[in-house]
Amino acid sequence: MRYFILSLVAVTLLVDAIILTVFINEWFILSIVVPLVLINTLLKNIPKKKKVVGFELGKGTDIANPETPINVKHVVLEDKVLNLGFLGIGSPGSGKSVIAVSVLEYFTKVREGGWLYADGKGDLDIYQSCMSCGAQPDKFFSSELPNSETVNVVSGPLEDVIDSLTEVLITTDNEYYKNAQKAALRSVLPLLHKIGIPFTLRDLYVVFANNEASQYVLNLANKHNVPPDVIELANNFFEIEPKSRAEQVNGLLTRMQLFVTGDVADRINAYEPTLKLEQAVSNNLKVYLHMPYTHFSKDIATLLTQQLGGIAKNRQLYEDQRTPWPMIFDDWGVFFFDGIGPITARCRSAKMPVSYLFQSKGQTNEISVHFTDQITDNIGGLMVLRINGQGTASWAGGQFGTYESVEYSANENTRFNGTGQNMTVTEKPRVRADDIKNLNAGEAYIDTFITGEGGKSSNKRYKARFPLPDFSKAREYQWPIIETGKHNDECEGLQLWRDFMNADRLKQLKSNIVKSALDDVKEDITELDEVDFL
Amino acid sequence: MKTWWNYWPLMALSVSFPFICTGLPTTVFNGVVVGGGIIRQELVNLVAMVMPVESGQRYIDAFNTASAGEEFLLLLPLSLNISTILALITFLIVSILIGLSNSIKRQEYKSQRKASKGAN
């Protein structure tokens, strides 16, 4: 009716203007312009809105009330939402990875910022898609491929290193050995850390496995003025009867062997790694972690995630101007570990928002039921793609809440010539499990939470389809071949692995030391003679 | 609940009323001239008064020599204006009426729902 009235007014004004112009004064035609502009504005009913900054998905539907969906021309995932992280959930083939790539494309091309993409699937397709659409990483690390960046999995703040190694290396259920191994790490790691020379997991292994190496490290610690309590603590550990000590750390050493031998070991134990996560964050670099799931890649992922948690802590403590550095963990369900909840919250707080894409709620429940709640409580957006399983689909649908459905019925009683009306209000789920099961690839139900100015919050719910990035050049790309940085032998470092794990080299070193000591003694004797002579 | 479906005839009447009035034929009833001609003449006089003298005179001259159909056409712009004004007034009144009536009804249902849930 509003449109009819406004149209009628517009026609009337136009006719008036024409008549007045023809019969009275030609200037009257101008008088129509202002009212027509006014009416046009009213017709379109566009109160000028503040431009929303974010990832534009295109057409969609506002499903606040799914019975009366409102078509939306521009569904936008606001930066405010992306900066809180999002949770994407969908069955295989539902388009999770494509969504991840399209978000990365947005981060790269529109926001021109850095990001971290951790791919738990490891498909070449995803890497090719990233490269094709322009979301090209600056750094590429793989737990599988031979040519990728090098890292040092034990770099970072001491407490974080202890936490991550405790998480990854101590796997025994026996409380006695568990505590003994924790004590071993807590005794030795501070010593290595305080010496101030770069060390790797290989050096730690040698300290535990080789008595001469442990003695060497103690001497080095004395030379580098390491606090006496730290030396004493380590010394107490090294003074444990060798057989007993070996028994205690045997499990630890067995676990460590995975990380110190083999092809990948060279790339995760670099004194001067080509990928330093802390620098990547501060320099806003784009980092691609290629981690196809194996037990080994899960351990590496845990170590790197702990490092990210440490970086987030530093940002929280010491940086007030934080540039967002979003992280997307794709197909990461199997990589979750106990401590990831607090790390996620800390990262979000430090403007390193974590977004997760996984297949099933069961994957988060494996950690704990509370972890699922922690994720959904901490994120800014929920994207539900097609889900095959009833359980996960019902849970995902439940996240969109309910709406009040009003049923109105009118009847006419012909016998008594009367009419009756009936209105029923019921609460219904906004999104049903069946709706989720019927989604096409790339289509998603989206729930966003934003706290705006003055604490005003907004919760918008859409059904939309993510745009498909340009994958036309995908096949032109293959896995990158990245030049390895400086070899460990050329770098400054403890070099225990090089010196103590090679018998010939150790023999040579020892003979050099003995020779040097003998020379010193000879010099002393000569000096003594001189003294006597004098 | 009231909607425009309940009131659209009123709007239709408001919009068409001026056209119907000015379009009625003229006839003599009991020696008195009645019908659209009287209304048309009154309206033409009214319009001519507010128009510039020269244009007003030309308008009256045109009206004097016009047939009933031509008179209707000459008054069409004026009818349109009156029709629009009536439509606006009707829209305003009915909108308030619908809003008020529905608001009362909503409150009634809300109270009933609350009461059925145990509230006082």
Side-chain angles (χ1 to χ4, degrees):
Chain A
M1 189 54 74
R2 208 177 302 167
Y3 289 97
F4 169 71
I5 295 291
L6 287 170
S7 309
L8 189 67
V9 171
V11 170
T12 308
L13 287 172
L14 189 66
V15 170
D16 286 353
I18 292 167
I19 288 169
L20 292 170
T21 305
V22 171
F23 291 103
I24 299 171
N25 191 318
E26 63 272 18
W27 288 104
F28 273 102
I29 195 72
L30 291 175
S31 65
I32 194 68
V33 176
V34 176
L36 278 181
V37 168
L38 196 70
I39 287 164
N40 184 43
T41 312
L42 285 170
L43 268 174
K44 285 185 176 174
N45 195 20
I46 319 170
K48 285 217 168 180
K49 285 181 185 171
K50 215 175 171 181
K51 201 185 174 219
V52 179
V53 182
F55 176 29
E56 184 162 335
L57 307 183
K59 285 181 186 174
T61 320
D62 186 329
I63 53 159
N65 183 346
E67 286 179 8
T68 53
I70 301 164
N71 289 330
V72 181
K73 276 188 184 172
H74 307 281
V75 175
V76 177
L77 274 181
E78 294 186 39
D79 276 349
K80 283 178 182 175
V81 172
L82 295 171
N83 287 344
L84 286 174
F86 60 84
L87 171 65
I89 184 161
S91 294
S94 59
K96 288 190 302 297
S97 297
V98 174
I99 285 181
V101 173
S102 59
V103 173
L104 292 178
E105 184 190 16
Y106 168 72
F107 287 152
T108 309
K109 288 181 176 173
V110 182
R111 288 193 4 180
E112 295 178 348
W115 42 259
L116 178 136
Y117 176 62
D119 172 22
K121 213 159 17 187
D123 278 0
L124 174 62
D125 283 8
I126 302 171
Y127 177 75
Q128 288 175 323
S129 304
C130 279
M131 296 300 285
S132 171
C133 73
Q136 300 179 346
D138 301 316
K139 297 283 178 185
F140 178 89
F141 173 80
S142 172
S143 61
E144 286 289 330
L145 302 170
N147 302 299
S148 76
E149 308 287 348
T150 54
V151 293
N152 185 355
V153 287
V154 291
S155 69
L158 176 63
E159 280 305 318
D160 296 328
V161 174
I162 292 175
D163 281 352
S164 55
L165 291 185
T166 304
E167 177 71 35
V168 171
L169 299 180
I170 302 176
T171 52
T172 176
D173 291 330
N174 184 305
E175 281 300 316
Y176 169 76
Y177 286 115
K178 192 184 271 185
N179 290 331
Q181 288 170 10
K182 276 184 188 174
L185 288 175
R186 287 215 157 266
S187 304
V188 176
L189 277 168
L191 185 77
L192 297 182
H193 196 262
K194 291 284 178 188
I195 288 173
I197 299 173
F199 69 96
T200 65
L201 205 55
R202 279 176 162 169
D203 294 322
L204 184 67
Y205 177 87
V206 176
V207 172
F208 280 131
N210 188 308
N211 290 332
E212 286 171 319
S214 56
Q215 191 54 51
Y216 169 75
V217 167
L218 281 173
N219 294 341
L220 203 63
N222 278 315
K223 202 174 162 187
H224 281 79
N225 297 322
V226 173
D229 57 330
V230 175
I231 296 175
E232 189 56 29
L233 202 68
N235 198 30
N236 288 344
F237 172 72
F238 293 133
E239 278 179 353
I240 297 172
E241 197 258 321
K243 195 181 169 193
S244 169
R245 181 152 56 98
E247 269 180 17
Q248 286 178 11
V249 296
N250 191 34
L252 200 64
L253 289 174
T254 310
R255 280 288 289 163
M256 283 168 84
Q257 276 175 1
L258 281 171
F259 303 95
V260 298
T261 55
D263 292 339
V264 181
D266 284 337
R267 286 187 291 107
I268 62 172
N269 290 299
Y271 289 126
E272 288 182 19
T274 54
L275 169 58
K276 290 178 183 168
L277 285 174
E278 193 157 6
Q279 279 182 9
V281 177
S282 58
N283 295 336
N284 222 6
L285 298 182
K286 298 178 277 289
V287 178
Y288 192 118
L289 299 182
H290 172 253
M291 315 285 279
Y293 177 71
T294 57
H295 287 295
F296 178 68
S297 67
K298 183 181 176 178
D299 291 334
I300 304 280
T302 305
L303 291 167
L304 295 178
T305 312
Q306 291 274 11
Q307 274 193 20
L308 290 167
I311 294 164
K313 189 170 73 183
N314 282 343
R315 271 165 71 106
Q316 277 180 313
L317 293 174
Y318 306 114
E319 285 182 34
D320 50 357
Q321 301 291 326
R322 300 168 198 157
T323 310
W325 198 70
M327 301 188 279
I328 298 179
F329 291 84
D330 185 8
D331 234 329
W332 209 248
V334 285
F335 289 86
F336 290 132
F337 59 93
D338 280 342
I340 203 165
I343 290 178
T344 304
R346 183 185 286 166
C347 287
R348 197 201 72 243
S349 174
K351 279 210 171 175
M352 293 162 62
V354 184
S355 300
Y356 291 112
L357 292 160
F358 56 86
Q359 294 172 358
S360 164
K361 181 176 168 270
Q363 291 175 324
T364 54
N365 281 356
E366 268 183 30
I367 303 300
S368 107
V369 183
H370 304 300
F371 180 54
T372 314
D373 293 335
Q374 279 177 17
I375 292 184
T376 47
D377 289 345
N378 282 325
I379 49 162
L382 175 69
M383 297 165 197
V384 177
L385 295 108
R386 194 194 66 240
I387 296 170
N388 299 342
Q390 182 68 25
T392 302
S394 299
W395 170 81
Q399 302 302 307
F400 288 82
T402 56
Y403 73 101
E404 283 197 344
S405 170
V406 181
E407 283 175 18
Y408 177 81
S409 66
N411 57 60
E412 200 168 273
N413 192 329
T414 49
R415 189 172 173 190
F416 299 107
N417 195 25
T419 56
Q421 295 176 1
N422 180 44
M423 184 178 279
T424 313
V425 180
T426 47
E427 285 207 3
K428 291 183 178 174
R430 190 168 276 116
V431 177
R432 297 176 308 136
D434 278 356
D435 298 331
I436 294 170
K437 287 179 176 183
N438 291 331
L439 288 172
N440 295 313
E443 270 185 345
Y445 284 103
I446 301 164
D447 197 356
T448 60
F449 318 94
I450 305 168
T451 304
E453 287 163 17
K456 197 178 169 188
S457 63
S458 145
N459 182 195
K460 291 178 181 169
R461 305 161 188 102
Y462 300 107
K463 182 184 177 187
R465 185 166 206 164
F466 279 78
L468 192 68
D470 178 16
F471 294 155
S472 58
K473 293 175 187 164
R475 299 286 164 222
E476 293 174 14
Y477 296 94
Q478 288 302 316
W479 291 121
I481 295 172
I482 291 164
E483 282 183 29
T484 316
K486 277 166 83 177
H487 193 273
N488 269 359
D489 292 352
E490 301 163 16
C491 304
E492 189 202 1
L494 271 183
Q495 304 287 12
L496 302 183
W497 183 266
R498 182 192 66 187
D499 295 340
F500 289 87
M501 296 300 281
N502 181 335
D504 292 338
R505 185 176 169 82
L506 189 60
K507 200 174 167 185
Q508 181 64 42
L509 280 172
K510 278 180 183 173
S511 70
N512 287 348
I513 291 164
V514 170
K515 196 178 166 196
S516 158
L518 286 174
D519 288 348
D520 286 349
V521 170
K522 272 183 191 169
E523 274 176 24
D524 288 347
I525 291 167
T526 316
E527 280 171 12
L528 278 172
D529 289 347
E530 283 169 1
V531 172
D532 288 348
F533 176 76
L534 283 169
Chain B
M1 294 285 182
K2 301 290 182 194
T3 64
W4 271 102
W5 287 108
N6 301 96
Y7 295 103
W8 73 266
L10 195 65
M11 178 58 84
L13 191 69
S14 301
V15 173
S16 57
F17 183 71
F19 299 103
I20 292 167
C21 287
T22 54
L24 285 173
T26 313
T27 183
V28 179
F29 185 73
N30 283 343
V32 181
V33 181
V34 290
I38 308 289
I39 299 166
R40 288 194 290 272
Q41 196 161 7
E42 282 299 318
L43 287 175
V44 165
N45 288 337
L46 206 69
V47 173
M49 275 170 67
V50 295
M51 286 173 81
V53 180
E54 198 185 329
S55 308
Q57 192 54 51
R58 272 198 294 157
Y59 188 50
I60 290 170
D61 291 345
F63 188 80
N64 285 338
T65 56
S67 64
E70 286 167 342
E71 284 177 11
F72 176 76
L73 286 174
L74 278 168
L75 275 168
L76 203 59
L78 187 63
S79 307
L80 183 67
N81 277 278
I82 296 168
S83 171
T84 305
I85 291 163
L86 284 177
L88 280 169
I89 293 167
T90 311
F91 179 76
L92 198 70
I93 292 169
V94 175
S95 294
I96 293 168
L97 204 69
I98 290 174
L100 205 65
S101 147
N102 289 352
S103 168
I104 293 167
K105 207 73 181 166
R106 264 199 300 274
Q107 286 302 319
E108 189 188 324
Y109 285 127
K110 204 173 165 184
S111 302
Q112 284 173 359
R113 279 171 51 216
K114 277 173 96 177
S116 68
K117 286 178 181 175
N120 292 320

